[in-house]
């Protein structure tokens, strides 16, 4: 397994010289050699160090989602262009990737995309075949990287819905965005005949339940609008993204006090903007303050897993998916205890730029990020000095 590394110190942005060093281009490492590294010379000293490492995956044109199996040293990655599920074996202590193995999951044109860990079926995951209009319950066989995953159940998307993209499990109900038919599906996986379809604007990407109101919110990247769904009454409403904040909502997840989202922007400019939706549907917007952050095209976001001993904060992923001029970055944003005020920003560049960084997965001691067009997974590792 080829591995490329890039060393840098994270910093609170006040040093543009350090930013230039951090965004440098590393070399490649071959097996048995010491990986090249590059230090950010102007970064302030600190008690810890961050290392960004890349792991090569089997070749694919599109590498997408990533999930971690609970209590297992394994992560799973979907490759949509050839419908392969990649198993990443990890060292239980360091979380570094130690093994990579890809398996076909359906026909090569089925377009494996969404992944979600199931609570109702321990040890299983839900997956979507975006091109074949199916939902899958999969046993990834997490005891061995070499063991081929098994599809235990297939559920056709009902009602003429097309293009299942994102999936997540909320009790007995799967919430699925249908990118092909611009709809949102709520389906009882214990009785698939019980389902509802909600019309959306182009194109629904993520869905998340508000931790206070219980409403569901859906990002629609083709309409610069959010869809709000009351699952009790079935009523829906649209919430446009204010033009002064930016455009193109993509990443959207449940988090402290609300549903959090990021804005990608356009091919001309990102705005480094993200926000939190309160119980009444109002959005409190935040904007990154560093020179690099103010133009970041934000695609995804994630919070630390429960029980992680970090100060309040979230992870953002900036991506070059709509512009080759944009940077691919992992960003840590620190908050005060009320989650209303930013107290710090830290940045790390992916070693391979223009890779269209795609999804984030925080672990206890590191963060993984998929690279859409690079067929790689990057890992930001925290080590004490």
């Amino acid at each position: 397994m080829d591995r490329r590394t890039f060393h840098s110190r994270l910093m609170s942005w006040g040093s543009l010289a350090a930013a230039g060093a951090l965004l440098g281009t590393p070399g490649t490492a071959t097996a048995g050699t010491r990986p090249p590294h590059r230090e950010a010379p102007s970064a302030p000293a600190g008690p810890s160090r961050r290392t960004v490492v890349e792991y090569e995956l089997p070749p694919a044109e599109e590498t997408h989602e990533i999930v971690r199996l609970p209590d297992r040293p394994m992560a799973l990655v979907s490759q949509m262009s050839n419908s392969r599920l990649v198993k990443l074996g990890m060292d239980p202590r360091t979380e570094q990737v130690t093994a990579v193995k890809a398996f076909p999951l359906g026909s090569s044109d089925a377009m494996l995309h969404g992944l979600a860990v199931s609570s109702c079926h321990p040890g299983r995951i839900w997956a979507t075949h975006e091109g074949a209009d199916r939902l899958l319950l999969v046993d990834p066989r997490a005891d061995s990287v070499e063991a081929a995953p098994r599809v235990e159940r297939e559920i056709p998307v009902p009602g003429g819905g097309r293009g299942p993209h994102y999936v997540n499990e909320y009790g007995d109900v799967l919430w699925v965005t249908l990118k092909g038919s611009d709809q949102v599906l709520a389906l009882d996986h214990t009785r698939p005949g019980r389902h509802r379809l909600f019309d959306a604007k182009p194109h629904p990407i993520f869905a998340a339940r508000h931790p206070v109101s219980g409403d569901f919110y859906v990002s629609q990247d083709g309409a610069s609008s959010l869809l709000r769904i009351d699952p009790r009454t079935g009523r829906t409403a649209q919430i446009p993204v204010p033009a002064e904040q930016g455009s193109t909502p993509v990443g959207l997840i449940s988090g402290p006090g609300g549903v959090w989202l990021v804005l990608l922007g356009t091919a001309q400019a990102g705005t480094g903007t993200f926000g939190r939706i309160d119980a009444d549907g109002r959005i409190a917007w935040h904007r990154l303050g560093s020179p690099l952050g103010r133009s970041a095209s934000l695609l995804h976001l994630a919070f630390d897993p429960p029980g992680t001993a970090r100060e309040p904060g979230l992870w953002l992923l900036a991506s070059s998916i709509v512009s080759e001029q944009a940077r691919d970055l992992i960003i840590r944003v620190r908050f005060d205890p009320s989650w209303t005020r930013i107290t710090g920003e830290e940045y790390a560049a992916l070693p391979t730029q223009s890779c269209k960084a795609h999804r984030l997965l925080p672990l206890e001691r590191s963060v993984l990020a998929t690279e859409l067009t690079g067929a790689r997974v990057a890992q930001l590792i925290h080590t004490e000095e």
Side-chain angles (χ1 to χ4, degrees), residues 201-205 218-227 238-243 245-250 261-266 283 285:
K201 291 186 175 182
H203 298 287
I205 303 297
V218 180
S219 56
Q220 300 163 121
D221 67 353
S224 281
S225 182
L226 303 171
L227 175 63
Q238 291 286 341
I239 305 174
V241 172
Q245 300 296 343
S247 64
T248 321
V250 186
L261 71 147
V262 296
L263 300 183
L264 181 62
T266 67
I283 306 175
W285 295 101

Side-chain angles (χ1 to χ4, degrees), residues 137-205:
L137 182 64
V138 180
D139 177 3
R141 303 179 70 189
D143 290 335
S144 170
V145 173
E146 299 294 328
R150 289 190 292 247
V151 177
E152 295 186 338
R153 187 180 176 196
E154 296 186 8
I155 304 175
V157 173
R162 302 188 313 279
H165 189 72
Y166 163 91
V167 62
N168 207 351
E169 179 189 272
Y170 294 89
D172 290 341
V173 179
L174 299 178
W175 282 77
V176 185
T177 58
L178 303 179
K179 196 173 178 181
S181 56
D182 291 332
Q183 295 171 302
V184 178
L185 169 66
L187 180 142
D188 186 333
H189 58 81
T190 68
R191 290 178 287 178
R194 297 185 60 181
H195 64 268
R196 288 186 292 181
L197 285 166
F198 303 94
D199 290 333
K201 291 186 175 182
H203 298 287
I205 303 297

